[in-house]
Amino acid sequence: MPRLRSTPKNRKKRGHVSAGHGRIGKHRKHPRGRGCAGGQHHNKINFDKYHPGYFGKIGMREYRYNAFGSKHFCPTIPVSKLWSLVDEETKQKYKDDSVNAVVIDVTKHGFHKVLGTGRLPNRKLIVLARFYSEKAEKKIKKVGGAALLTA
């Protein structure tokens, strides 16, 4: 822990007219403006040198950008979590059934895309989603299932 001073540092400067801040420049409160003031005017050199590209625009505007109407909205789910979307009753029903496949509509659970991380149980499933990664599609087909696209 730093040692506390008994007297402030400026005590030494008492009696000296400008207290170490110079007679000409003067120690004023905000001589160049507060914050980012003057970035395109009197402080332009500083902004150009240390913050290039701070001002201006790039690209096209995207109007009415919101999470649900946007083309960027794409909640994902990994292959390993697909089986957790199936309720217990359905799991018991298809437990010993090796002929019929379980249908999992991912979009009803609020997901759009299925990703290929993790493992699938060795059961036939039909998965309905808007998008699939290549890995996910391969894994679903490997266990004897089908990856179908929905709108």
Side-chain angles (χ1 to χ4, degrees), residues 68 73-77 106-107 110-114 129-132:
F68 295 100
F73 181 74
C74 187
T76 60
I77 185 169
V106 165
T107 52
F111 299 102
H112 289 193
K113 186 172 184 174
V114 180
R130 292 181 69 187
F131 309 103
Y132 296 92

Side-chain angles (χ1 to χ4, degrees), residues 43-137:
N43 289 337
K44 191 177 180 95
I45 291 169
N46 180 303
F47 271 76
D48 289 348
K49 186 175 182 181
Y50 298 110
H51 312 285
Y54 182 85
F55 296 106
K57 299 174 183 175
I58 293 171
M60 286 191 296
R61 290 200 48 200
E62 190 169 330
Y63 296 102
R64 300 206 176 102
Y65 179 88
N66 68 352
F68 295 100
S70 165
K71 61 185 174 195
H72 303 294
F73 181 74
C74 187
T76 60
I77 185 169
V79 156
S80 58
K81 298 267 175 88
L82 282 177
W83 200 240
S84 68
L85 300 178
V86 181
D87 59 326
E88 287 301 318
E89 194 179 302
T90 313
K91 281 182 187 175
Q92 291 300 322
K93 183 179 173 186
Y94 289 96
K95 191 177 180 182
D96 301 321
D97 194 352
S98 60
V99 180
N100 296 322
V102 180
V103 179
I104 303 172
D105 192 351
V106 165
T107 52
K108 284 186 179 170
H109 295 279
F111 299 102
H112 289 193
K113 186 172 184 174
V114 180
L115 301 176
T117 48
R119 286 200 207 162
L120 266 175
N122 204 2
R123 300 257 164 81
K124 285 185 181 177
L125 352 136
I126 297 170
V127 184
L128 304 167
R130 292 181 69 187
F131 309 103
Y132 296 92
S133 68
E134 279 183 51
K135 239 181 176 181
E137 229 173 325

